[in-house]
């Protein structure tokens, strides 16, 4: 058929046939996993077209710094091997020229492309607009779990029987990736992929399983709430929240959802159960509670709130600081902490200001009077109140205990002053690494104390009623009792008089959950729930409607010192 003197092309003429595409398969070895902190030690690349190799590029690179021992063990690249190698500034132009006009291919491409982009930025070069193909991502879409247990390069090399075995050396891994790429392209033929454009589109397309399960989003409301993915037996697989349930759940069945665990979950799911909520805050809190209760296997966060770590002033004749996982209503607490290591740093900061004993023996007055208490070196160094040896009167240790309790409950000044004095002294002596360690201890204490004081203030309120402007007009309402979201609702936009608004507020209060106070600063709710509530209360436009209790932070508490800590990390010289 002739049109305007030309010949109409066939469908095969659309796009660039894969047989005519020149691919440069590249692999890097580096000193670590982050382009911001690590450097390239080796570049290996293979240029192929139409299934035939047409060139190779390989060179070691001087990273400009030490190679960590575990990297040497992994790759076999030693410091001596890169000593005479060219720097990245000399290697980069040659590699970019080798790859010019080609499609870059890498296994876990974001890693390799991240380092190459960072190298270009460091050398003041613009990154060329290379098309990029990720063989790991393609393998996840083309191969099934029955064929390969994972999509690591070594696994795929065995599956496709590559001529070269990957060994964490750049050129060998690039050669293996070439065979993997050819194997995947062969598989893609069954999906009708013949051109580069179809290959790029296929990499972004939803999986067949996602397309097959689209009907699970049918009938869901466009309202705020929680969605629960369940399998055929009713087991909860995943819990999420959204201000628009229908829109959010539908996104799980599109190309925008690329998380491997979530795609695996979609393959198992047989239904989606919606839980409509009055407000976004209620949806966020319900999500946290459901995750903590059912611990769905495909949720990563918030599954174990009971594992929170606290620093406790023990309740015994001669108290000490102990790292625990449970709060009781008998002593002072600090936390929660993200890890035991951070808790230990905060404990060390407290010991810098308060000479509490650090031994774990059960110390009683009777044991001391009989001279049977064990002593330690800290007493000799003056780092402990040492009630065990009777050097100080019992009343002196009681004063130490009272100071520790005051510091943990509201007055952070003694710890800040003690640590700052030591940091200044170490800095004057040019012992900067030790000063940084003390800074980290101070930061761990201040952040935990500020967090704990905020939580304690909220959990101490018997009832707090607040309102925030709604997105569609009107107001969102929240009733918080002892830190727990007890009820929520909305005041519709058509409620314009004070009487009408008050009627809605009273209705939400009357139907709110009854909450009794419990032990510890976390109150009756999880720490994450209380922090959700606090973020909502501190959002723009939020207003306090009613308050039964005192909602405030201590005047000399740690909250006012957090900005100072942030400045110290942003500018160590401050």
């Amino acid at each position: 058929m002739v049109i305007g003197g030309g010949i109409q092309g066939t469908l095969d003429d659309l796009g660039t046939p894969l047989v005519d595409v020149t691919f440069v398969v590249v692999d890097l070895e580096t000193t670590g996993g982050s382009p911001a902190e690590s450097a390239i030690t080796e570049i290996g690349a293979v240029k192929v077209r139409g299934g035939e190799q047409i060139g190779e590029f390989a060179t070691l690179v001087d990273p400009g710094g030490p190679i960590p021992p575990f990297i040497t063990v992994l790759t076999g690249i030693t410091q001596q091997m890169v000593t005479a190698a060219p720097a990245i500034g000399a290697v980069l132009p040659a590699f970019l020229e080798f790859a010019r006009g080609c499609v870059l291919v890498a296994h876990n491409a974001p890693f390799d492309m991240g380092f190459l982009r960072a190298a270009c930025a460091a050398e003041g070069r613009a990154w060329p607009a290379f098309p990029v193909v990720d063989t790991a991502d393609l393998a996840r879409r083309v191969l099934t779990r029955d064929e390969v247990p994972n999509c690591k390069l070594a696994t795929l090399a065995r599956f496709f029987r590559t001529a070269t075995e990957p060994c964490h050396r750049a050129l060998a891994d690039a050669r293996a990736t070439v065979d993997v790429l050819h194997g995947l392209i062969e598989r893609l033929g069954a999906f009708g992929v013949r051109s580069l454009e179809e290959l790029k589109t296929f990499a972004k397309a939803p999986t067949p399983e996602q397309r097959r399960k689209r009907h699970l989003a049918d009938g869901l409301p466009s309202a705020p709430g929680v969605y629960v993915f369940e399998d055929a037996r009713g087991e909860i697989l995943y819990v999420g929240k959204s201000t628009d349930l229908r829109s959010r759940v539908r996104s799980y069945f599109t190309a925008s959802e690329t998380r491997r665990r979530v795609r695996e979950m979609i393959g198992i799911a047989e239904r989606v159960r919606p839980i409509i909520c009055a407000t976004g805050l209620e949806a966020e809190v319900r999500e946290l509670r459901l995750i903590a209760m059912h611990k769905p296997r495909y949720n990563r966060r918030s599954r174990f709130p009971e594992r929170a770590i606290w620093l406790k002033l023990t309740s015994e004749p001669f108290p000490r600081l102990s790292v625990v996982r449970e709060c009781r209503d008998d002593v002072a607490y600090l936390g929660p902490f993200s890890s035991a290591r951070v808790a230990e740093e905060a404990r060390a900061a407290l010991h810098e200001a308060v000479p509490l004993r650090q031994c774990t023996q059960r110390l009683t007055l009777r044991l001391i009077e009989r001279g049977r208490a064990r002593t330690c070196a800290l007493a000799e160094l003056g780092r402990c109140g040492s009630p065990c040896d009777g050097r100080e009167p019992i009343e002196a240790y009681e004063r130490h205990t009272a100071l520790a309790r005051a510091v943990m409950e509201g007055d952070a000044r003694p710890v800040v002053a003690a640590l700052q004095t030591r940091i200044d002294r170490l800095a004057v002596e040019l012992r900067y690494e030790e000063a940084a360690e003390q800074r980290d201890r101070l930061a761990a204490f201040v952040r935990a104390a500020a967090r704990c004081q905020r939580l304690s203030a909220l959990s101490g309120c018997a009832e707090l009623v607040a309102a925030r402007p709604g997105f569609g007009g009107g107001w969102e309402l929240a009733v918080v009792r002892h830190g727990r979201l007890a009820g929520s609702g909305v005041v519709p936009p058509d409620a314009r008089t004070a009487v009408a608004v008050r009627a809605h507020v009273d209705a939400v209060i009357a139907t709110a959950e009854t909450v009794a106070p419990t032990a510890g600063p976390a109150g009756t709710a999880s720490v994450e729930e209380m922090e959700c509530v606090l973020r909502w209360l501190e959002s723009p436009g939020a207003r306090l409607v009613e308050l039964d209790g005192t909602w405030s932070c201590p005047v000399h508490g740690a909250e006012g010192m957090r900005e100072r800590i942030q400045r110290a990390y942003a500018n160590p010289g401050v």
Side-chain angles (χ1 to χ4, degrees):
M1 178 178 175
V2 179
I3 300 178
I7 299 176
Q8 179 179 344
T10 65
L11 291 177
D12 290 336
D13 295 326
L14 299 177
T16 307
L18 288 175
V19 70
D20 295 331
V21 176
T22 303
F23 295 101
V24 170
V25 182
V26 61
D27 184 79
L28 305 180
E29 299 303 330
T30 66
T31 59
S34 170
E37 301 172 355
S38 307
I40 298 171
T41 59
E42 188 177 31
I43 300 178
V46 181
K47 184 181 292 187
V48 293
R49 182 173 60 240
E52 298 293 332
Q53 178 179 323
I54 58 177
E56 286 188 344
F57 180 97
T59 179
L60 289 168
V61 180
D62 182 359
I67 299 177
F70 75 93
I71 294 293
T72 296
V73 172
L74 179 67
T75 65
I77 300 174
T78 65
Q79 199 71 46
Q80 290 76 14
M81 292 170 62
V82 300
T83 299
I88 189 64
V91 172
L92 197 58
F95 171 76
L96 294 178
E97 179 61 27
F98 179 78
R100 185 161 60 92
C102 301
V103 175
L104 289 185
V105 180
H107 197 74
N108 290 321
F111 175 86
D112 300 274
M113 298 306 116
F115 272 91
L116 290 172
R117 287 175 182 272
C120 282
E123 296 298 321
R125 291 179 173 273
W127 172 252
F130 289 114
V132 178
V133 173
D134 186 348
T135 51
D137 188 46
L138 278 179
R140 294 186 190 104
R141 298 169 188 273
V142 174
L143 304 177
T144 67
R145 278 295 184 92
D146 294 332
E147 293 175 303
V148 291
N150 56 62
C151 291
K152 296 178 180 179
L153 181 57
T155 304
L156 298 179
R158 287 193 297 269
F159 179 77
F160 287 112
R161 299 180 180 179
T162 61
T164 304
E165 182 179 351
C167 58
H168 293 291
R169 290 302 299 268
L171 186 57
D173 287 7
R175 288 170 175 169
T177 305
V178 168
D179 291 341
V180 170
L181 173 67
H182 290 158
L184 291 171
I185 289 176
E186 185 179 347
R187 284 296 191 95
L188 288 168
F191 294 90
V193 176
R194 299 285 188 273
S195 68
L196 176 62
E197 289 70 22
E198 289 171 329
L199 174 64
K200 292 163 65 177
T201 303
F202 183 87
K204 297 179 180 178
T207 63
E209 199 65 43
Q210 285 178 296
R211 291 192 292 267
R212 190 174 69 82
K213 296 292 183 72
R214 283 177 178 170
H215 68 278
L216 296 181
D218 295 344
L220 294 179
S222 296
V226 176
Y227 53 91
V228 182
F229 280 88
E230 298 176 340
D231 64 10
R233 298 176 301 172
E235 178 188 351
I236 294 178
L237 302 172
Y238 185 83
V239 178
K241 68 177 186 306
S242 178
T243 55
D244 188 328
L245 288 171
R246 179 177 175 81
S247 175
R248 180 67 185 98
V249 173
R250 288 181 67 180
S251 71
Y252 282 87
F253 309 106
T254 66
S256 62
E257 181 52 74
T258 59
R259 291 172 292 177
R260 184 175 182 182
R261 284 174 57 84
V262 172
R263 287 188 166 191
E264 181 181 296
M265 179 272 296
I266 290 170
I268 304 172
E270 291 297 330
R271 68 181 66 88
V272 179
R273 177 164 55 90
I275 302 174
I276 299 175
C277 300
T279 64
L281 174 62
E282 181 185 345
E284 192 170 2
V285 169
R286 282 186 179 273
E287 177 197 33
L288 290 172
R289 292 178 185 175
L290 285 169
I291 292 173
M293 179 185 300
H294 298 284
K295 297 178 172 38
R297 53 178 152 155
Y298 288 99
N299 281 96
R300 289 185 181 274
R301 298 176 61 252
S302 310
R303 293 175 63 193
F304 302 101
E306 65 276 7
R307 294 180 181 177
I309 298 172
W310 301 83
L311 190 61
K312 162 184 175 179
L313 183 64
T314 60
S315 179
E316 52 186 325
F318 298 94
R320 54 192 173 84
L321 296 172
S322 177
V323 177
V324 299
R325 292 187 180 274
E326 182 183 5
C327 289
R328 298 179 181 178
D329 193 17
D330 56 352
V331 285
Y333 287 88
L334 197 69
F337 297 91
S338 57
S339 67
R341 180 188 60 80
V342 180
E344 290 293 347
E345 289 183 345
R347 176 158 62 176
L350 257 166
H351 281 146
E352 193 69 29
V354 186
L356 292 177
R357 68 186 183 97
Q358 300 182 38
C359 60
T360 58
Q361 63 177 317
R362 293 183 177 275
L363 197 59
T364 64
L365 184 59
R366 186 174 182 181
L367 200 64
I368 294 173
E369 290 174 346
R370 292 185 176 184
R372 296 182 179 178
R374 300 188 305 274
T375 58
C376 64
L378 290 175
E380 299 292 336
L381 297 173
R383 304 279 298 171
C384 175
S386 59
C388 51
D389 59 10
R391 295 185 185 183
E392 293 186 2
I394 302 301
E395 293 77 11
Y397 197 83
E398 291 176 351
R399 288 194 294 272
H400 298 327
T401 303
L403 176 59
R405 185 185 296 271
V407 166
M408 296 174 74
E409 291 180 347
D411 191 352
R413 291 177 297 176
V415 172
V416 174
L419 267 295
Q420 191 61 58
T421 299
R422 188 166 187 186
I423 290 171
D424 293 342
R425 178 174 59 80
L426 292 170
V428 169
E429 297 173 359
L430 306 183
R431 297 158 64 184
Y432 298 119
E433 291 185 0
E434 294 176 62
E437 291 177 2
Q438 298 302 319
R439 178 202 61 189
D440 293 343
R441 290 179 178 181
L442 178 58
F445 167 79
V446 168
R447 289 167 179 163
R451 192 181 189 190
C452 189
Q453 288 159 14
R454 283 162 49 82
L455 296 175
S456 298
L458 186 64
S459 64
C461 297
E463 181 174 277
L464 184 152
V465 183
R468 189 181 76 170
F471 290 110
W475 293 83
E476 296 179 355
L477 298 174
V479 179
V480 183
R481 291 172 176 166
H482 296 292
R484 182 179 178 87
L485 182 66
S488 69
V490 295
V491 177
D494 58 0
R496 302 183 182 278
T497 66
V499 173
V501 170
R502 187 69 226 186
H504 285 282
V505 172
D506 290 341
V508 173
I509 294 174
T511 56
E513 175 186 357
T514 300
V515 180
T518 58
T524 57
S526 69
V527 171
E528 284 190 271
E529 176 178 333
M530 294 181 69
E531 290 184 333
C532 286
V533 171
L534 285 168
R535 284 195 299 270
W536 188 89
L537 291 171
E538 294 166 354
S539 61
R543 300 183 183 183
L544 194 60
V545 179
E546 290 185 4
L547 178 64
D548 180 4
T550 302
W551 184 35
S552 65
C553 285
V555 174
H556 301 297
E559 183 68 22
M561 301 176 188
R562 290 185 11 170
E563 184 177 349
R564 177 180 175 183
I565 292 296
Q566 292 170 354
R567 287 202 311 269
Y569 276 96
N571 183 5
V574 175

